[in-house]
Amino acid sequence: MRANGVDVIAVDPLYALSNTELKQRALADLDAAMSTLSASQGIRPEFNLIACRQEHIQALDAFLIDHNTYPDRYIAANLRQEPGLDFASEAAVYSSTQPIRSNANPPDGMITAPKGCHCSIPSLK
């Protein structure tokens, strides 16, 4: 996203881990997911698990480079779980730059996080 001009701040307690630990954890999660997918009866016959795994590894490598290059954009913390508090409002608490705007009436061209979005890339448990 940063390569496309989007200023992103990510919040996850796992960002306290080193890049080596993050990579080990992500690869273990990926291997578990690939094992589950390969045993699934619901997977499409044309779905290429090898290509899928490779795409995830490429995304992981890009993430680790970005995490290393912009460590201040990856905050090791939990988002509070309070009624009525959306992702954009909470992310603004951790931001030292212009806050991410909420979904209510964003300006034209503003990218907003969906309500209830608590995702990070790569997806780590």
Side-chain angles (χ1 to χ4, degrees):
M1 292 179 75
R2 193 173 327 282
N4 294 324
V6 179
D7 188 20
V8 177
I9 295 177
V11 180
D12 192 304
L14 291 175
Y15 295 145
L17 300 176
S18 70
N19 269 9
T20 300
E21 293 167 317
L22 283 169
K23 185 169 187 169
Q24 288 171 344
R25 178 119 183 211
L27 289 174
D29 287 350
L30 180 58
D31 288 343
M34 291 293 109
S35 178
T36 299
L37 284 172
S38 68
S40 173
Q41 297 298 315
I43 194 168
R44 295 184 325 261
E46 70 277 6
F47 187 80
N48 185 332
L49 282 171
I50 295 170
C52 177
R53 187 177 194 287
Q54 187 58 38
E55 287 176 16
H56 280 276
I57 290 173
Q58 289 170 348
L60 172 61
D61 289 341
F63 159 76
L64 293 171
I65 289 168
D66 198 70
H67 181 262
N68 191 54
T69 305
Y70 303 99
D72 59 322
R73 309 313 278 171
Y74 294 88
I75 310 298
N78 283 313
L79 296 178
R80 295 186 304 241
Q81 298 294 319
E82 296 179 25
L85 187 64
D86 67 20
F87 174 83
S89 298
E90 184 63 16
V93 171
Y94 297 101
S95 175
S96 61
T97 63
Q98 181 176 347
I100 298 169
R101 298 178 188 269
S102 72
N103 293 337
N105 304 315
D108 288 340
M110 175 63 75
I111 297 172
T112 60
K115 288 202 180 288
C117 177
H118 294 92
C119 58
S120 60
I121 300 174
S123 177
L124 301 174
K125 295 178 187 174

Short mmCIF file of all heavy atoms in Angstrom, two decimals, residues 44-110:
data_model
loop_
_atom_site.label_atom_id
_atom_site.label_comp_id
_atom_site.label_asym_id
_atom_site.label_seq_id
_atom_site.Cartn_x
_atom_site.Cartn_y
_atom_site.Cartn_z
N ARG A 44 -11.43 -25.66 -5.01
CA ARG A 44 -11.64 -25.81 -6.45
C ARG A 44 -10.51 -26.65 -7.06
O ARG A 44 -9.34 -26.48 -6.70
CB ARG A 44 -11.65 -24.43 -7.13
CG ARG A 44 -12.79 -23.55 -6.73
CD ARG A 44 -12.79 -22.24 -7.52
NE ARG A 44 -11.49 -21.71 -7.83
CZ ARG A 44 -10.88 -20.73 -7.16
NH1 ARG A 44 -11.45 -20.18 -6.12
NH2 ARG A 44 -9.69 -20.30 -7.54
N PRO A 45 -10.83 -27.53 -8.00
CA PRO A 45 -9.79 -28.39 -8.61
C PRO A 45 -8.69 -27.59 -9.30
O PRO A 45 -7.54 -28.02 -9.32
CB PRO A 45 -10.56 -29.23 -9.63
CG PRO A 45 -11.98 -29.17 -9.21
CD PRO A 45 -12.17 -27.87 -8.48
N GLU A 46 -9.02 -26.42 -9.86
CA GLU A 46 -8.02 -25.64 -10.58
C GLU A 46 -7.19 -24.74 -9.66
O GLU A 46 -6.25 -24.08 -10.11
CB GLU A 46 -8.69 -24.79 -11.67
CG GLU A 46 -9.54 -23.64 -11.17
CD GLU A 46 -10.96 -24.01 -10.77
OE1 GLU A 46 -11.33 -25.19 -10.75
OE2 GLU A 46 -11.71 -23.09 -10.44
N PHE A 47 -7.52 -24.73 -8.36
CA PHE A 47 -6.79 -23.87 -7.43
C PHE A 47 -5.38 -24.39 -7.26
O PHE A 47 -5.15 -25.56 -6.97
CB PHE A 47 -7.50 -23.82 -6.07
CG PHE A 47 -6.91 -22.83 -5.13
CD1 PHE A 47 -7.21 -21.48 -5.25
CD2 PHE A 47 -6.04 -23.22 -4.13
CE1 PHE A 47 -6.67 -20.56 -4.37
CE2 PHE A 47 -5.49 -22.31 -3.26
CZ PHE A 47 -5.80 -20.97 -3.38
N ASN A 48 -4.39 -23.51 -7.45
CA ASN A 48 -2.98 -23.90 -7.42
C ASN A 48 -2.40 -23.57 -6.05
O ASN A 48 -2.06 -22.41 -5.76
CB ASN A 48 -2.22 -23.17 -8.53
CG ASN A 48 -0.79 -23.62 -8.64
OD1 ASN A 48 -0.17 -24.05 -7.67
ND2 ASN A 48 -0.25 -23.51 -9.84
N LEU A 49 -2.29 -24.58 -5.20
CA LEU A 49 -1.76 -24.37 -3.84
C LEU A 49 -0.31 -23.90 -3.85
O LEU A 49 0.09 -23.10 -3.01
CB LEU A 49 -1.88 -25.65 -3.02
CG LEU A 49 -3.26 -25.96 -2.47
CD1 LEU A 49 -3.29 -27.36 -1.88
CD2 LEU A 49 -3.65 -24.93 -1.44
N ILE A 50 0.48 -24.39 -4.79
CA ILE A 50 1.90 -23.99 -4.85
C ILE A 50 2.01 -22.50 -5.18
O ILE A 50 2.76 -21.77 -4.53
CB ILE A 50 2.67 -24.86 -5.87
CG1 ILE A 50 2.69 -26.32 -5.38
CG2 ILE A 50 4.09 -24.33 -6.08
CD1 ILE A 50 3.19 -27.31 -6.40
N ALA A 51 1.25 -22.05 -6.16
CA ALA A 51 1.26 -20.63 -6.52
C ALA A 51 0.71 -19.77 -5.38
O ALA A 51 1.23 -18.69 -5.10
CB ALA A 51 0.45 -20.39 -7.80
N CYS A 52 -0.33 -20.27 -4.72
CA CYS A 52 -0.91 -19.55 -3.58
C CYS A 52 0.13 -19.37 -2.48
O CYS A 52 0.30 -18.28 -1.94
CB CYS A 52 -2.13 -20.30 -3.06
SG CYS A 52 -2.89 -19.56 -1.60
N ARG A 53 0.83 -20.44 -2.14
CA ARG A 53 1.86 -20.37 -1.10
C ARG A 53 2.95 -19.38 -1.49
O ARG A 53 3.40 -18.58 -0.68
CB ARG A 53 2.46 -21.75 -0.85
CG ARG A 53 3.43 -21.78 0.33
CD ARG A 53 3.95 -23.20 0.59
NE ARG A 53 4.59 -23.30 1.87
CZ ARG A 53 5.79 -22.79 2.17
NH1 ARG A 53 6.46 -22.12 1.26
NH2 ARG A 53 6.29 -22.94 3.38
N GLN A 54 3.36 -19.42 -2.76
CA GLN A 54 4.41 -18.52 -3.23
C GLN A 54 3.97 -17.05 -3.13
O GLN A 54 4.75 -16.18 -2.73
CB GLN A 54 4.81 -18.85 -4.66
CG GLN A 54 6.00 -18.06 -5.16
CD GLN A 54 7.25 -18.25 -4.29
OE1 GLN A 54 7.53 -19.33 -3.81
NE2 GLN A 54 7.98 -17.17 -4.09
N GLU A 55 2.71 -16.78 -3.48
CA GLU A 55 2.19 -15.41 -3.36
C GLU A 55 2.22 -14.94 -1.91
O GLU A 55 2.56 -13.78 -1.63
CB GLU A 55 0.77 -15.33 -3.92
CG GLU A 55 0.72 -15.41 -5.42
CD GLU A 55 -0.71 -15.42 -5.95
OE1 GLU A 55 -1.65 -15.07 -5.19
OE2 GLU A 55 -0.89 -15.79 -7.12
N HIS A 56 1.87 -15.83 -0.99
CA HIS A 56 1.90 -15.47 0.43
C HIS A 56 3.33 -15.22 0.90
O HIS A 56 3.57 -14.31 1.70
CB HIS A 56 1.22 -16.56 1.27
CG HIS A 56 -0.26 -16.48 1.25
ND1 HIS A 56 -0.98 -15.65 2.08
CD2 HIS A 56 -1.17 -17.11 0.47
CE1 HIS A 56 -2.27 -15.79 1.83
NE2 HIS A 56 -2.41 -16.67 0.86
N ILE A 57 4.26 -15.99 0.43
CA ILE A 57 5.67 -15.78 0.81
C ILE A 57 6.18 -14.46 0.26
O ILE A 57 6.89 -13.73 0.94
CB ILE A 57 6.54 -16.98 0.37
CG1 ILE A 57 6.19 -18.20 1.23
CG2 ILE A 57 8.02 -16.64 0.46
CD1 ILE A 57 6.85 -19.48 0.80
N GLN A 58 5.80 -14.14 -0.99
CA GLN A 58 6.19 -12.84 -1.55
C GLN A 58 5.59 -11.69 -0.75
O GLN A 58 6.27 -10.69 -0.48
CB GLN A 58 5.76 -12.75 -3.02
CG GLN A 58 6.58 -13.64 -3.93
CD GLN A 58 6.00 -13.72 -5.34
OE1 GLN A 58 4.89 -13.31 -5.61
NE2 GLN A 58 6.79 -14.27 -6.25
N ALA A 59 4.33 -11.82 -0.34
CA ALA A 59 3.69 -10.79 0.48
C ALA A 59 4.39 -10.68 1.84
O ALA A 59 4.61 -9.57 2.35
CB ALA A 59 2.21 -11.10 0.66
N LEU A 60 4.76 -11.81 2.42
CA LEU A 60 5.47 -11.81 3.69
C LEU A 60 6.82 -11.11 3.55
O LEU A 60 7.18 -10.27 4.39
CB LEU A 60 5.68 -13.25 4.19
CG LEU A 60 6.57 -13.43 5.42
CD1 LEU A 60 6.01 -12.69 6.62
CD2 LEU A 60 6.75 -14.92 5.71
N ASP A 61 7.56 -11.41 2.49
CA ASP A 61 8.85 -10.76 2.28
C ASP A 61 8.70 -9.25 2.12
O ASP A 61 9.48 -8.48 2.68
CB ASP A 61 9.56 -11.36 1.07
CG ASP A 61 10.06 -12.78 1.31
OD1 ASP A 61 10.18 -13.19 2.49
OD2 ASP A 61 10.31 -13.49 0.32
N ALA A 62 7.67 -8.82 1.37
CA ALA A 62 7.42 -7.38 1.19
C ALA A 62 7.06 -6.74 2.54
O ALA A 62 7.52 -5.64 2.86
CB ALA A 62 6.30 -7.16 0.18
N PHE A 63 6.24 -7.43 3.31
CA PHE A 63 5.87 -6.93 4.65
C PHE A 63 7.11 -6.77 5.53
O PHE A 63 7.29 -5.75 6.19
CB PHE A 63 4.87 -7.89 5.31
CG PHE A 63 4.83 -7.76 6.81
CD1 PHE A 63 4.17 -6.69 7.40
CD2 PHE A 63 5.46 -8.69 7.62
CE1 PHE A 63 4.14 -6.56 8.79
CE2 PHE A 63 5.43 -8.57 9.00
CZ PHE A 63 4.78 -7.50 9.59
N LEU A 64 7.98 -7.79 5.56
CA LEU A 64 9.16 -7.73 6.41
C LEU A 64 10.11 -6.61 6.01
O LEU A 64 10.70 -5.95 6.87
CB LEU A 64 9.88 -9.09 6.42
CG LEU A 64 9.09 -10.23 7.08
CD1 LEU A 64 9.79 -11.56 6.84
CD2 LEU A 64 8.89 -9.96 8.57
N ILE A 65 10.25 -6.36 4.71
CA ILE A 65 11.07 -5.24 4.25
C ILE A 65 10.46 -3.93 4.73
O ILE A 65 11.16 -3.06 5.26
CB ILE A 65 11.21 -5.26 2.72
CG1 ILE A 65 12.09 -6.43 2.28
CG2 ILE A 65 11.76 -3.93 2.19
CD1 ILE A 65 12.07 -6.71 0.78
N ASP A 66 9.14 -3.78 4.58
CA ASP A 66 8.47 -2.56 5.01
C ASP A 66 8.55 -2.41 6.52
O ASP A 66 8.80 -1.32 7.04
CB ASP A 66 7.01 -2.57 4.54
CG ASP A 66 6.40 -1.19 4.57
OD1 ASP A 66 6.79 -0.36 3.73
OD2 ASP A 66 5.54 -0.93 5.45
N HIS A 67 8.35 -3.50 7.25
CA HIS A 67 8.42 -3.48 8.72
C HIS A 67 9.81 -3.05 9.17
O HIS A 67 9.95 -2.30 10.15
CB HIS A 67 8.08 -4.87 9.25
CG HIS A 67 8.09 -5.00 10.72
ND1 HIS A 67 9.15 -5.51 11.42
CD2 HIS A 67 7.14 -4.69 11.65
CE1 HIS A 67 8.88 -5.51 12.71
NE2 HIS A 67 7.66 -5.01 12.87
N ASN A 68 10.84 -3.49 8.48
CA ASN A 68 12.21 -3.13 8.82
C ASN A 68 12.52 -1.69 8.42
O ASN A 68 13.23 -0.97 9.13
CB ASN A 68 13.18 -4.09 8.14
CG ASN A 68 14.59 -3.94 8.65
OD1 ASN A 68 14.81 -4.01 9.85
ND2 ASN A 68 15.53 -3.72 7.75
N THR A 69 11.99 -1.24 7.28
CA THR A 69 12.26 0.10 6.75
C THR A 69 11.49 1.17 7.52
O THR A 69 12.01 2.27 7.74
CB THR A 69 11.90 0.17 5.26
OG1 THR A 69 12.62 -0.86 4.57
CG2 THR A 69 12.26 1.52 4.66
N TYR A 70 10.27 0.88 7.91
CA TYR A 70 9.39 1.85 8.58
C TYR A 70 8.90 1.30 9.92
O TYR A 70 7.70 1.13 10.12
CB TYR A 70 8.18 2.18 7.70
CG TYR A 70 8.55 2.70 6.34
CD1 TYR A 70 8.56 1.87 5.23
CD2 TYR A 70 8.88 4.05 6.17
CE1 TYR A 70 8.90 2.35 3.97
CE2 TYR A 70 9.23 4.53 4.92
CZ TYR A 70 9.23 3.67 3.83
OH TYR A 70 9.57 4.15 2.59
N PRO A 71 9.80 1.03 10.86
CA PRO A 71 9.36 0.42 12.12
C PRO A 71 8.39 1.28 12.91
O PRO A 71 7.56 0.76 13.65
CB PRO A 71 10.67 0.20 12.89
CG PRO A 71 11.63 1.17 12.28
CD PRO A 71 11.23 1.31 10.84
N ASP A 72 8.44 2.60 12.72
CA ASP A 72 7.53 3.49 13.44
C ASP A 72 6.10 3.40 12.93
O ASP A 72 5.18 3.91 13.55
CB ASP A 72 8.02 4.93 13.36
CG ASP A 72 8.13 5.44 11.94
OD1 ASP A 72 8.55 4.66 11.06
OD2 ASP A 72 7.82 6.62 11.70
N ARG A 73 5.88 2.72 11.81
CA ARG A 73 4.54 2.57 11.22
C ARG A 73 3.88 1.26 11.68
O ARG A 73 2.77 0.95 11.29
CB ARG A 73 4.60 2.60 9.69
CG ARG A 73 5.34 3.79 9.11
CD ARG A 73 4.95 5.10 9.73
NE ARG A 73 3.73 5.60 9.12
CZ ARG A 73 3.05 6.64 9.57
NH1 ARG A 73 3.44 7.28 10.63
NH2 ARG A 73 1.97 7.02 8.96
N TYR A 74 4.59 0.48 12.49
CA TYR A 74 4.08 -0.79 13.01
C TYR A 74 4.11 -0.71 14.53
O TYR A 74 5.16 -0.83 15.15
CB TYR A 74 4.93 -1.96 12.49
CG TYR A 74 4.80 -2.14 11.00
CD1 TYR A 74 5.62 -1.45 10.11
CD2 TYR A 74 3.80 -2.95 10.48
CE1 TYR A 74 5.47 -1.61 8.74
CE2 TYR A 74 3.65 -3.11 9.11
CZ TYR A 74 4.48 -2.43 8.25
OH TYR A 74 4.33 -2.56 6.89
N ILE A 75 2.96 -0.50 15.12
CA ILE A 75 2.84 -0.27 16.56
C ILE A 75 2.49 -1.59 17.26
O ILE A 75 1.49 -2.23 16.93
CB ILE A 75 1.74 0.78 16.86
CG1 ILE A 75 1.91 2.03 16.01
CG2 ILE A 75 1.67 1.07 18.35
CD1 ILE A 75 3.19 2.79 16.22
N ALA A 76 3.32 -1.99 18.22
CA ALA A 76 3.06 -3.20 19.00
C ALA A 76 2.08 -2.86 20.11
O ALA A 76 2.47 -2.37 21.17
CB ALA A 76 4.37 -3.75 19.57
N ALA A 77 0.80 -3.10 19.86
CA ALA A 77 -0.24 -2.80 20.83
C ALA A 77 -1.52 -3.52 20.45
O ALA A 77 -1.65 -4.02 19.33
CB ALA A 77 -0.49 -1.29 20.88
N ASN A 78 -2.45 -3.55 21.38
CA ASN A 78 -3.79 -4.08 21.12
C ASN A 78 -4.74 -2.92 20.90
O ASN A 78 -4.60 -1.87 21.55
CB ASN A 78 -4.30 -4.87 22.32
CG ASN A 78 -3.68 -6.24 22.42
OD1 ASN A 78 -3.62 -6.95 21.44
ND2 ASN A 78 -3.22 -6.59 23.61
N LEU A 79 -5.69 -3.11 20.01
CA LEU A 79 -6.76 -2.14 19.87
C LEU A 79 -7.76 -2.43 20.97
O LEU A 79 -8.10 -3.58 21.23
CB LEU A 79 -7.43 -2.24 18.50
CG LEU A 79 -6.54 -1.90 17.31
CD1 LEU A 79 -7.33 -2.08 16.02
CD2 LEU A 79 -6.04 -0.47 17.41
N ARG A 80 -8.23 -1.39 21.63
CA ARG A 80 -9.21 -1.58 22.70
C ARG A 80 -10.51 -2.09 22.10
O ARG A 80 -10.88 -1.74 21.00
CB ARG A 80 -9.47 -0.26 23.42
CG ARG A 80 -8.26 0.26 24.17
CD ARG A 80 -8.64 1.47 24.96
NE ARG A 80 -9.22 2.48 24.08
CZ ARG A 80 -8.73 3.70 23.88
NH1 ARG A 80 -7.65 4.06 24.50
NH2 ARG A 80 -9.33 4.55 23.09
N GLN A 81 -11.20 -2.91 22.84
CA GLN A 81 -12.50 -3.42 22.43
C GLN A 81 -13.57 -2.73 23.28
O GLN A 81 -13.90 -3.18 24.36
CB GLN A 81 -12.56 -4.94 22.64
CG GLN A 81 -11.55 -5.71 21.82
CD GLN A 81 -11.81 -5.59 20.33
OE1 GLN A 81 -12.95 -5.64 19.89
NE2 GLN A 81 -10.77 -5.41 19.55
N GLU A 82 -14.06 -1.60 22.80
CA GLU A 82 -15.10 -0.86 23.50
C GLU A 82 -16.29 -0.66 22.59
O GLU A 82 -16.12 -0.45 21.39
CB GLU A 82 -14.55 0.51 23.94
CG GLU A 82 -13.42 0.42 24.94
CD GLU A 82 -12.89 1.79 25.34
OE1 GLU A 82 -13.65 2.78 25.23
OE2 GLU A 82 -11.74 1.86 25.74
N PRO A 83 -17.50 -0.74 23.15
CA PRO A 83 -18.69 -0.53 22.32
C PRO A 83 -18.64 0.85 21.65
O PRO A 83 -18.28 1.85 22.27
CB PRO A 83 -19.84 -0.60 23.31
CG PRO A 83 -19.30 -1.28 24.52
CD PRO A 83 -17.82 -0.99 24.54
N GLY A 84 -18.97 0.87 20.36
CA GLY A 84 -19.06 2.13 19.63
C GLY A 84 -17.73 2.67 19.13
O GLY A 84 -17.69 3.71 18.50
N LEU A 85 -16.63 2.00 19.41
CA LEU A 85 -15.33 2.46 18.96
C LEU A 85 -14.96 1.71 17.69
O LEU A 85 -14.89 0.49 17.67
CB LEU A 85 -14.27 2.19 20.04
CG LEU A 85 -12.89 2.76 19.81
CD1 LEU A 85 -12.94 4.29 19.78
CD2 LEU A 85 -11.94 2.32 20.90
N ASP A 86 -14.77 2.45 16.60
CA ASP A 86 -14.44 1.77 15.34
C ASP A 86 -12.94 1.79 15.12
O ASP A 86 -12.18 2.48 15.79
CB ASP A 86 -15.22 2.34 14.16
CG ASP A 86 -14.84 3.77 13.80
OD1 ASP A 86 -13.75 4.22 14.19
OD2 ASP A 86 -15.64 4.42 13.11
N PHE A 87 -12.50 1.02 14.14
CA PHE A 87 -11.07 0.87 13.84
C PHE A 87 -10.40 2.20 13.59
O PHE A 87 -9.33 2.48 14.09
CB PHE A 87 -10.92 -0.06 12.62
CG PHE A 87 -9.51 -0.17 12.14
CD1 PHE A 87 -8.62 -1.04 12.74
CD2 PHE A 87 -9.06 0.60 11.09
CE1 PHE A 87 -7.31 -1.14 12.30
CE2 PHE A 87 -7.75 0.51 10.64
CZ PHE A 87 -6.89 -0.37 11.25
N ALA A 88 -11.02 3.06 12.79
CA ALA A 88 -10.39 4.33 12.42
C ALA A 88 -10.16 5.21 13.63
O ALA A 88 -9.12 5.84 13.77
CB ALA A 88 -11.23 5.04 11.37
N SER A 89 -11.14 5.26 14.52
CA SER A 89 -10.99 6.08 15.73
C SER A 89 -9.86 5.54 16.60
O SER A 89 -9.07 6.30 17.15
CB SER A 89 -12.29 6.08 16.53
OG SER A 89 -13.33 6.65 15.78
N GLU A 90 -9.81 4.23 16.76
CA GLU A 90 -8.78 3.63 17.59
C GLU A 90 -7.40 3.80 16.99
O GLU A 90 -6.44 4.11 17.68
CB GLU A 90 -9.07 2.14 17.80
CG GLU A 90 -8.10 1.46 18.73
CD GLU A 90 -8.11 1.99 20.16
OE1 GLU A 90 -9.04 2.68 20.55
OE2 GLU A 90 -7.14 1.70 20.88
N ALA A 91 -7.27 3.62 15.68
CA ALA A 91 -5.98 3.77 15.03
C ALA A 91 -5.44 5.18 15.21
O ALA A 91 -4.24 5.39 15.36
CB ALA A 91 -6.09 3.43 13.55
N ALA A 92 -6.33 6.16 15.25
CA ALA A 92 -5.90 7.54 15.44
C ALA A 92 -5.24 7.75 16.79
O ALA A 92 -4.36 8.59 16.94
CB ALA A 92 -7.10 8.48 15.28
N VAL A 93 -5.62 6.95 17.78
CA VAL A 93 -5.02 7.05 19.11
C VAL A 93 -3.53 6.76 19.04
O VAL A 93 -2.72 7.38 19.72
CB VAL A 93 -5.71 6.07 20.09
CG1 VAL A 93 -4.96 5.99 21.42
CG2 VAL A 93 -7.15 6.46 20.31
N TYR A 94 -3.14 5.83 18.17
CA TYR A 94 -1.75 5.41 18.07
C TYR A 94 -0.94 6.20 17.06
O TYR A 94 0.26 6.10 16.99
CB TYR A 94 -1.68 3.92 17.72
CG TYR A 94 -2.27 3.06 18.78
CD1 TYR A 94 -3.55 2.53 18.64
CD2 TYR A 94 -1.58 2.80 19.95
CE1 TYR A 94 -4.10 1.74 19.64
CE2 TYR A 94 -2.13 2.02 20.95
CZ TYR A 94 -3.39 1.50 20.78
OH TYR A 94 -3.94 0.72 21.77
N SER A 95 -1.62 6.99 16.23
CA SER A 95 -0.95 7.69 15.15
C SER A 95 -0.32 8.98 15.63
O SER A 95 -0.91 9.75 16.35
CB SER A 95 -1.96 8.01 14.03
OG SER A 95 -1.35 8.79 13.05
N SER A 96 0.91 9.21 15.19
CA SER A 96 1.56 10.48 15.50
C SER A 96 1.46 11.43 14.31
O SER A 96 1.97 12.54 14.36
CB SER A 96 3.03 10.24 15.86
OG SER A 96 3.69 9.64 14.76
N THR A 97 0.81 10.96 13.24
CA THR A 97 0.60 11.79 12.07
C THR A 97 -0.88 12.08 11.95
O THR A 97 -1.64 11.85 12.88
CB THR A 97 1.09 11.07 10.80
OG1 THR A 97 0.31 9.88 10.63
CG2 THR A 97 2.56 10.72 10.89
N GLN A 98 -1.32 12.58 10.80
CA GLN A 98 -2.73 12.87 10.60
C GLN A 98 -3.54 11.60 10.83
O GLN A 98 -3.24 10.56 10.27
CB GLN A 98 -2.97 13.39 9.19
CG GLN A 98 -4.43 13.72 8.94
CD GLN A 98 -4.63 14.32 7.57
OE1 GLN A 98 -3.68 14.70 6.91
NE2 GLN A 98 -5.87 14.41 7.15
N PRO A 99 -4.57 11.66 11.67
CA PRO A 99 -5.33 10.45 11.97
C PRO A 99 -6.05 9.90 10.76
O PRO A 99 -6.42 10.63 9.86
CB PRO A 99 -6.34 10.91 13.02
CG PRO A 99 -6.19 12.37 13.17
CD PRO A 99 -5.03 12.83 12.36
N ILE A 100 -6.23 8.59 10.78
CA ILE A 100 -7.06 7.94 9.77
C ILE A 100 -8.47 8.43 10.01
O ILE A 100 -8.93 8.51 11.14
CB ILE A 100 -7.00 6.40 9.93
CG1 ILE A 100 -5.58 5.93 9.72
CG2 ILE A 100 -7.97 5.71 8.99
CD1 ILE A 100 -5.36 4.49 10.09
N ARG A 101 -9.18 8.77 8.95
CA ARG A 101 -10.53 9.29 9.10
C ARG A 101 -11.52 8.15 9.26
O ARG A 101 -11.33 7.07 8.75
CB ARG A 101 -10.90 10.15 7.90
CG ARG A 101 -9.97 11.35 7.76
CD ARG A 101 -10.34 12.15 6.54
NE ARG A 101 -9.35 13.17 6.30
CZ ARG A 101 -9.42 14.40 6.78
NH1 ARG A 101 -10.43 14.76 7.52
NH2 ARG A 101 -8.48 15.26 6.51
N SER A 102 -12.60 8.43 9.97
CA SER A 102 -13.64 7.42 10.12
C SER A 102 -14.39 7.25 8.82
O SER A 102 -14.21 8.03 7.88
CB SER A 102 -14.60 7.81 11.24
OG SER A 102 -15.40 8.90 10.80
N ASN A 103 -15.27 6.29 8.76
CA ASN A 103 -16.02 6.00 7.55
C ASN A 103 -17.14 7.01 7.29
O ASN A 103 -17.72 7.01 6.22
CB ASN A 103 -16.63 4.60 7.64
CG ASN A 103 -15.56 3.55 7.63
OD1 ASN A 103 -14.47 3.79 7.16
ND2 ASN A 103 -15.85 2.40 8.16
N ALA A 104 -17.45 7.83 8.24
CA ALA A 104 -18.55 8.79 8.07
C ALA A 104 -18.11 9.94 7.17
O ALA A 104 -17.24 10.72 7.51
CB ALA A 104 -18.97 9.33 9.43
N ASN A 105 -18.69 10.01 5.99
CA ASN A 105 -18.45 11.09 5.04
C ASN A 105 -16.98 11.36 4.75
O ASN A 105 -16.50 12.47 4.96
CB ASN A 105 -19.13 12.37 5.53
CG ASN A 105 -20.61 12.17 5.77
OD1 ASN A 105 -21.29 11.57 4.94
ND2 ASN A 105 -21.09 12.64 6.90
N PRO A 106 -16.24 10.37 4.27
CA PRO A 106 -14.83 10.63 3.97
C PRO A 106 -14.71 11.56 2.77
O PRO A 106 -15.56 11.56 1.89
CB PRO A 106 -14.28 9.24 3.63
CG PRO A 106 -15.47 8.48 3.15
CD PRO A 106 -16.64 9.01 3.93
N PRO A 107 -13.66 12.39 2.71
CA PRO A 107 -13.46 13.25 1.55
C PRO A 107 -13.23 12.41 0.30
O PRO A 107 -12.80 11.26 0.39
CB PRO A 107 -12.20 14.05 1.90
CG PRO A 107 -11.84 13.71 3.29
CD PRO A 107 -12.63 12.53 3.72
N ASP A 108 -13.49 12.98 -0.85
CA ASP A 108 -13.27 12.27 -2.11
C ASP A 108 -11.83 11.79 -2.18
O ASP A 108 -10.90 12.52 -1.87
CB ASP A 108 -13.54 13.19 -3.31
CG ASP A 108 -15.03 13.46 -3.48
OD1 ASP A 108 -15.84 12.67 -2.95
OD2 ASP A 108 -15.36 14.46 -4.13
N GLY A 109 -11.67 10.53 -2.57
CA GLY A 109 -10.34 9.96 -2.72
C GLY A 109 -9.73 9.43 -1.44
O GLY A 109 -8.68 8.82 -1.46
N MET A 110 -10.38 9.64 -0.28
CA MET A 110 -9.84 9.17 0.99
C MET A 110 -10.14 7.69 1.14
O MET A 110 -11.27 7.26 0.97
CB MET A 110 -10.46 9.94 2.16
CG MET A 110 -10.06 9.44 3.53
SD MET A 110 -8.31 9.59 3.90
CE MET A 110 -8.17 11.33 4.19
#
